[in-house]
mmCIF file of all heavy atoms in Angstrom:
data_model
loop_
_atom_site.group_PDB
_atom_site.id
_atom_site.type_symbol
_atom_site.label_atom_id
_atom_site.label_comp_id
_atom_site.label_asym_id
_atom_site.label_seq_id
_atom_site.Cartn_x
_atom_site.Cartn_y
_atom_site.Cartn_z
ATOM 1 N N TRP A 1392 91.362 174.734 23.369
ATOM 2 C CA TRP A 1392 90.713 176.019 22.895
ATOM 3 C C TRP A 1392 91.751 177.172 22.852
ATOM 4 O O TRP A 1392 91.843 177.885 21.886
ATOM 5 C CB TRP A 1392 89.550 176.321 23.894
ATOM 6 C CG TRP A 1392 88.748 177.487 23.608
ATOM 7 C CD1 TRP A 1392 89.113 178.841 23.389
ATOM 8 C CD2 TRP A 1392 87.354 177.546 23.404
ATOM 9 N NE1 TRP A 1392 88.083 179.663 23.201
ATOM 10 C CE2 TRP A 1392 86.909 178.914 23.168
ATOM 11 C CE3 TRP A 1392 86.365 176.531 23.395
ATOM 12 C CZ2 TRP A 1392 85.618 179.268 22.978
ATOM 13 C CZ3 TRP A 1392 85.004 176.876 23.206
ATOM 14 C CH2 TRP A 1392 84.636 178.294 23.031
ATOM 15 N N THR A 1393 92.500 177.219 24.008
ATOM 16 C CA THR A 1393 93.495 178.397 24.133
ATOM 17 C C THR A 1393 94.627 178.295 23.053
ATOM 18 O O THR A 1393 94.963 179.279 22.468
ATOM 19 C CB THR A 1393 94.011 178.340 25.588
ATOM 20 O OG1 THR A 1393 92.954 178.524 26.505
ATOM 21 C CG2 THR A 1393 95.071 179.485 25.748
ATOM 22 N N LEU A 1396 93.246 179.021 19.468
ATOM 23 C CA LEU A 1396 93.014 180.503 19.284
ATOM 24 C C LEU A 1396 94.350 181.230 19.181
ATOM 25 O O LEU A 1396 94.470 182.198 18.400
ATOM 26 C CB LEU A 1396 92.171 181.090 20.439
ATOM 27 C CG LEU A 1396 90.576 181.010 20.250
ATOM 28 C CD1 LEU A 1396 89.992 181.837 21.387
ATOM 29 C CD2 LEU A 1396 90.107 181.398 18.906
ATOM 30 N N TYR A 1397 95.269 180.850 20.010
ATOM 31 C CA TYR A 1397 96.612 181.509 19.932
ATOM 32 C C TYR A 1397 97.196 181.353 18.568
ATOM 33 O O TYR A 1397 97.709 182.323 17.932
ATOM 34 C CB TYR A 1397 97.512 181.024 20.991
ATOM 35 C CG TYR A 1397 98.977 181.558 20.891
ATOM 36 C CD1 TYR A 1397 99.249 182.835 21.295
ATOM 37 C CD2 TYR A 1397 99.950 180.842 20.299
ATOM 38 C CE1 TYR A 1397 100.489 183.372 21.189
ATOM 39 C CE2 TYR A 1397 101.243 181.315 20.147
ATOM 40 C CZ TYR A 1397 101.496 182.593 20.641
ATOM 41 O OH TYR A 1397 102.749 183.192 20.417
ATOM 42 N N THR A 1398 97.191 180.141 18.041
ATOM 43 C CA THR A 1398 97.767 179.883 16.683
ATOM 44 C C THR A 1398 97.013 180.748 15.663
ATOM 45 O O THR A 1398 97.673 181.384 14.753
ATOM 46 C CB THR A 1398 97.574 178.340 16.375
ATOM 47 O OG1 THR A 1398 98.359 177.687 17.342
ATOM 48 C CG2 THR A 1398 98.212 178.054 14.994
ATOM 49 N N LEU A 1399 95.683 180.737 15.658
ATOM 50 C CA LEU A 1399 94.894 181.461 14.634
ATOM 51 C C LEU A 1399 95.158 182.938 14.774
ATOM 52 O O LEU A 1399 95.183 183.672 13.747
ATOM 53 C CB LEU A 1399 93.352 181.184 14.814
ATOM 54 C CG LEU A 1399 93.019 179.734 14.521
ATOM 55 C CD1 LEU A 1399 91.472 179.537 14.749
ATOM 56 C CD2 LEU A 1399 93.377 179.289 13.219
ATOM 57 N N SER A 1400 95.353 183.415 16.061
ATOM 58 C CA SER A 1400 95.679 184.875 16.207
ATOM 59 C C SER A 1400 96.973 185.254 15.461
ATOM 60 O O SER A 1400 97.059 186.410 14.984
ATOM 61 C CB SER A 1400 95.757 185.222 17.670
ATOM 62 O OG SER A 1400 96.909 184.783 18.290
ATOM 63 N N GLN A 1401 97.903 184.354 15.434
ATOM 64 C CA GLN A 1401 99.201 184.645 14.761
ATOM 65 C C GLN A 1401 98.983 184.668 13.275
ATOM 66 O O GLN A 1401 99.533 185.491 12.558
ATOM 67 C CB GLN A 1401 100.274 183.608 15.211
ATOM 68 C CG GLN A 1401 100.558 183.601 16.757
ATOM 69 C CD GLN A 1401 100.963 184.918 17.270
ATOM 70 O OE1 GLN A 1401 101.969 185.468 16.792
ATOM 71 N NE2 GLN A 1401 100.349 185.417 18.279
ATOM 72 N N ARG A 1404 96.583 187.523 11.603
ATOM 73 C CA ARG A 1404 96.878 188.867 11.840
ATOM 74 C C ARG A 1404 97.226 189.576 10.531
ATOM 75 O O ARG A 1404 97.840 189.121 9.699
ATOM 76 C CB ARG A 1404 98.153 188.915 12.713
ATOM 77 C CG ARG A 1404 98.444 190.298 13.226
ATOM 78 C CD ARG A 1404 99.622 190.177 14.209
ATOM 79 N NE ARG A 1404 99.094 189.669 15.517
ATOM 80 C CZ ARG A 1404 99.843 189.194 16.505
ATOM 81 N NH1 ARG A 1404 101.172 189.240 16.319
ATOM 82 N NH2 ARG A 1404 99.370 188.793 17.643
ATOM 83 N N ASP A 1413 94.725 192.186 14.477
ATOM 84 C CA ASP A 1413 94.488 190.786 14.911
ATOM 85 C C ASP A 1413 92.993 190.504 14.880
ATOM 86 O O ASP A 1413 92.214 190.951 15.773
ATOM 87 C CB ASP A 1413 95.090 190.707 16.299
ATOM 88 C CG ASP A 1413 95.119 189.241 16.777
ATOM 89 O OD1 ASP A 1413 94.341 188.396 16.253
ATOM 90 O OD2 ASP A 1413 95.857 188.988 17.729
ATOM 91 N N ALA A 1414 92.543 189.758 13.879
ATOM 92 C CA ALA A 1414 91.101 189.407 13.780
ATOM 93 C C ALA A 1414 90.661 188.615 14.983
ATOM 94 O O ALA A 1414 89.498 188.804 15.433
ATOM 95 C CB ALA A 1414 90.909 188.611 12.450
ATOM 96 N N VAL A 1415 91.503 187.666 15.466
ATOM 97 C CA VAL A 1415 91.087 186.892 16.607
ATOM 98 C C VAL A 1415 90.914 187.709 17.866
ATOM 99 O O VAL A 1415 90.005 187.552 18.661
ATOM 100 C CB VAL A 1415 92.090 185.769 16.867
ATOM 101 C CG1 VAL A 1415 91.766 184.920 18.111
ATOM 102 C CG2 VAL A 1415 92.099 184.815 15.660
ATOM 103 N N LYS A 1416 91.876 188.684 18.042
ATOM 104 C CA LYS A 1416 91.743 189.561 19.256
ATOM 105 C C LYS A 1416 90.473 190.422 19.136
ATOM 106 O O LYS A 1416 89.853 190.652 20.183
ATOM 107 C CB LYS A 1416 93.044 190.409 19.365
ATOM 108 C CG LYS A 1416 92.918 191.311 20.603
ATOM 109 C CD LYS A 1416 94.185 192.278 20.739
ATOM 110 C CE LYS A 1416 94.152 192.971 22.099
ATOM 111 N NZ LYS A 1416 92.969 193.813 22.296
ATOM 112 N N ASP A 1417 90.132 190.845 17.927
ATOM 113 C CA ASP A 1417 88.933 191.590 17.773
ATOM 114 C C ASP A 1417 87.696 190.840 18.071
ATOM 115 O O ASP A 1417 86.724 191.346 18.662
ATOM 116 C CB ASP A 1417 88.909 192.148 16.345
ATOM 117 C CG ASP A 1417 87.701 193.097 16.131
ATOM 118 O OD1 ASP A 1417 87.547 194.051 16.873
ATOM 119 O OD2 ASP A 1417 86.860 192.851 15.242
ATOM 120 N N LEU A 1418 87.744 189.550 17.805
ATOM 121 C CA LEU A 1418 86.578 188.740 18.092
ATOM 122 C C LEU A 1418 86.506 188.267 19.528
ATOM 123 O O LEU A 1418 85.437 188.157 20.159
ATOM 124 C CB LEU A 1418 86.573 187.578 17.126
ATOM 125 C CG LEU A 1418 86.345 187.734 15.640
ATOM 126 C CD1 LEU A 1418 86.542 186.437 14.886
ATOM 127 C CD2 LEU A 1418 84.863 188.278 15.501
ATOM 128 N N PHE A 1419 87.713 187.896 20.148
ATOM 129 C CA PHE A 1419 87.719 187.193 21.431
ATOM 130 C C PHE A 1419 88.542 188.017 22.493
ATOM 131 O O PHE A 1419 88.366 187.653 23.693
ATOM 132 C CB PHE A 1419 88.241 185.876 21.286
ATOM 133 C CG PHE A 1419 87.539 184.963 20.361
ATOM 134 C CD1 PHE A 1419 87.917 184.706 19.078
ATOM 135 C CD2 PHE A 1419 86.316 184.343 20.748
ATOM 136 C CE1 PHE A 1419 87.271 183.950 18.136
ATOM 137 C CE2 PHE A 1419 85.651 183.437 19.880
ATOM 138 C CZ PHE A 1419 86.074 183.347 18.608
ATOM 139 N N GLY A 1420 89.340 188.970 22.117
ATOM 140 C CA GLY A 1420 90.318 189.696 23.064
ATOM 141 C C GLY A 1420 89.581 190.536 24.032
ATOM 142 O O GLY A 1420 88.672 191.296 23.730
ATOM 143 N N ILE A 1421 90.001 190.498 25.231
ATOM 144 C CA ILE A 1421 89.494 191.342 26.372
ATOM 145 C C ILE A 1421 90.652 192.071 26.934
ATOM 146 O O ILE A 1421 91.610 191.520 27.427
ATOM 147 C CB ILE A 1421 88.830 190.473 27.492
ATOM 148 C CG1 ILE A 1421 87.809 189.497 26.887
ATOM 149 C CG2 ILE A 1421 88.207 191.318 28.544
ATOM 150 C CD1 ILE A 1421 87.532 188.334 27.816
ATOM 151 N N ASP A 1422 90.603 193.389 26.897
ATOM 152 C CA ASP A 1422 91.620 194.250 27.560
ATOM 153 C C ASP A 1422 91.258 194.480 28.970
ATOM 154 O O ASP A 1422 90.081 194.905 29.312
ATOM 155 C CB ASP A 1422 91.775 195.535 26.798
ATOM 156 C CG ASP A 1422 92.488 195.366 25.515
ATOM 157 O OD1 ASP A 1422 93.151 194.348 25.238
ATOM 158 O OD2 ASP A 1422 92.342 196.317 24.635
ATOM 159 N N SER A 1441 96.012 191.905 27.954
ATOM 160 C CA SER A 1441 94.964 191.334 27.121
ATOM 161 C C SER A 1441 94.844 189.877 27.377
ATOM 162 O O SER A 1441 95.819 189.200 27.501
ATOM 163 C CB SER A 1441 95.225 191.667 25.644
ATOM 164 O OG SER A 1441 95.173 193.038 25.358
ATOM 165 N N VAL A 1442 93.531 189.348 27.430
ATOM 166 C CA VAL A 1442 93.283 187.897 27.720
ATOM 167 C C VAL A 1442 92.236 187.531 26.666
ATOM 168 O O VAL A 1442 91.539 188.308 26.112
ATOM 169 C CB VAL A 1442 92.804 187.682 29.096
ATOM 170 C CG1 VAL A 1442 93.900 188.004 30.130
ATOM 171 C CG2 VAL A 1442 91.558 188.441 29.426
ATOM 172 N N TYR A 1443 92.051 186.226 26.480
ATOM 173 C CA TYR A 1443 91.033 185.647 25.591
ATOM 174 C C TYR A 1443 89.803 185.102 26.307
ATOM 175 O O TYR A 1443 88.867 184.647 25.675
ATOM 176 C CB TYR A 1443 91.599 184.572 24.701
ATOM 177 C CG TYR A 1443 92.475 185.160 23.573
ATOM 178 C CD1 TYR A 1443 93.890 184.958 23.491
ATOM 179 C CD2 TYR A 1443 91.926 185.910 22.549
ATOM 180 C CE1 TYR A 1443 94.621 185.490 22.492
ATOM 181 C CE2 TYR A 1443 92.690 186.532 21.563
ATOM 182 C CZ TYR A 1443 94.014 186.314 21.497
ATOM 183 O OH TYR A 1443 94.843 186.797 20.502
ATOM 184 N N SER A 1444 89.897 185.171 27.625
ATOM 185 C CA SER A 1444 88.780 184.610 28.433
ATOM 186 C C SER A 1444 88.747 185.219 29.781
ATOM 187 O O SER A 1444 89.811 185.709 30.308
ATOM 188 C CB SER A 1444 88.772 183.080 28.511
ATOM 189 O OG SER A 1444 89.863 182.665 29.237
ATOM 190 N N LEU A 1445 87.577 185.212 30.434
ATOM 191 C CA LEU A 1445 87.466 185.555 31.793
ATOM 192 C C LEU A 1445 87.308 184.290 32.646
ATOM 193 O O LEU A 1445 86.761 183.315 32.093
ATOM 194 C CB LEU A 1445 86.208 186.463 32.068
ATOM 195 C CG LEU A 1445 86.205 187.794 31.463
ATOM 196 C CD1 LEU A 1445 84.935 188.596 31.739
ATOM 197 C CD2 LEU A 1445 87.396 188.700 31.882
ATOM 198 N N LYS A 1446 87.751 184.287 33.897
ATOM 199 C CA LYS A 1446 87.721 183.096 34.704
ATOM 200 C C LYS A 1446 86.552 183.298 35.746
ATOM 201 O O LYS A 1446 86.427 184.318 36.352
ATOM 202 C CB LYS A 1446 88.993 182.899 35.415
ATOM 203 C CG LYS A 1446 90.266 182.928 34.569
ATOM 204 C CD LYS A 1446 90.301 181.730 33.636
ATOM 205 C CE LYS A 1446 91.627 181.720 32.841
ATOM 206 N NZ LYS A 1446 91.521 180.683 31.766
ATOM 207 N N PRO A 1491 85.068 192.212 23.634
ATOM 208 C CA PRO A 1491 85.065 191.472 22.341
ATOM 209 C C PRO A 1491 83.767 191.205 21.774
ATOM 210 O O PRO A 1491 82.745 191.438 22.505
ATOM 211 C CB PRO A 1491 85.733 190.155 22.862
ATOM 212 C CG PRO A 1491 85.165 189.980 24.261
ATOM 213 C CD PRO A 1491 85.005 191.346 24.818
ATOM 214 N N TYR A 1493 82.807 188.313 20.943
ATOM 215 C CA TYR A 1493 82.491 186.983 21.613
ATOM 216 C C TYR A 1493 83.158 186.862 22.957
ATOM 217 O O TYR A 1493 84.426 186.870 22.943
ATOM 218 C CB TYR A 1493 82.742 185.771 20.698
ATOM 219 C CG TYR A 1493 81.907 185.700 19.463
ATOM 220 C CD1 TYR A 1493 82.274 186.422 18.314
ATOM 221 C CD2 TYR A 1493 80.737 185.003 19.432
ATOM 222 C CE1 TYR A 1493 81.482 186.409 17.174
ATOM 223 C CE2 TYR A 1493 79.876 184.986 18.321
ATOM 224 C CZ TYR A 1493 80.277 185.677 17.225
ATOM 225 O OH TYR A 1493 79.442 185.640 16.125
ATOM 226 N N LEU A 1494 82.393 186.788 23.977
ATOM 227 C CA LEU A 1494 83.036 186.741 25.357
ATOM 228 C C LEU A 1494 83.081 185.236 25.768
ATOM 229 O O LEU A 1494 82.066 184.621 25.916
ATOM 230 C CB LEU A 1494 82.166 187.582 26.285
ATOM 231 C CG LEU A 1494 82.546 187.553 27.774
ATOM 232 C CD1 LEU A 1494 83.938 188.210 27.949
ATOM 233 C CD2 LEU A 1494 81.509 188.293 28.653
ATOM 234 N N THR A 1495 84.317 184.858 26.112
ATOM 235 C CA THR A 1495 84.554 183.481 26.516
ATOM 236 C C THR A 1495 84.770 183.441 28.039
ATOM 237 O O THR A 1495 85.539 184.221 28.566
ATOM 238 C CB THR A 1495 85.735 182.900 25.813
ATOM 239 O OG1 THR A 1495 85.560 182.951 24.419
ATOM 240 C CG2 THR A 1495 85.845 181.397 26.194
ATOM 241 N N ILE A 1496 84.022 182.526 28.685
ATOM 242 C CA ILE A 1496 84.224 182.424 30.146
ATOM 243 C C ILE A 1496 84.578 180.950 30.525
ATOM 244 O O ILE A 1496 83.820 180.034 30.116
ATOM 245 C CB ILE A 1496 82.871 182.792 30.891
ATOM 246 C CG1 ILE A 1496 82.632 184.318 30.666
ATOM 247 C CG2 ILE A 1496 82.986 182.553 32.376
ATOM 248 C CD1 ILE A 1496 81.282 184.815 31.025
ATOM 249 N N GLN A 1497 85.598 180.769 31.266
ATOM 250 C CA GLN A 1497 85.943 179.517 31.713
ATOM 251 C C GLN A 1497 85.646 179.322 33.175
ATOM 252 O O GLN A 1497 85.976 180.145 34.073
ATOM 253 C CB GLN A 1497 87.528 179.234 31.575
ATOM 254 C CG GLN A 1497 87.922 177.886 31.943
ATOM 255 C CD GLN A 1497 89.342 177.865 32.444
ATOM 256 O OE1 GLN A 1497 90.179 178.747 32.269
ATOM 257 N NE2 GLN A 1497 89.772 176.643 33.062
#
Side-chain angles (χ1 to χ4, degrees):
W1392 183 302
T1393 301
L1396 274 191
Y1397 174 76
T1398 299
L1399 296 180
S1400 73
Q1401 301 302 303
R1404 187 171 287 166
D1413 190 339
V1415 173
K1416 184 180 185 302
D1417 185 53
L1418 290 174
F1419 301 99
I1421 308 159
D1422 287 340
S1441 291
V1442 296
Y1443 283 115
S1444 67
L1445 296 180
K1446 308 295 184 187
Y1493 291 85
L1494 177 64
T1495 304
I1496 295 168
Q1497 181 207 350

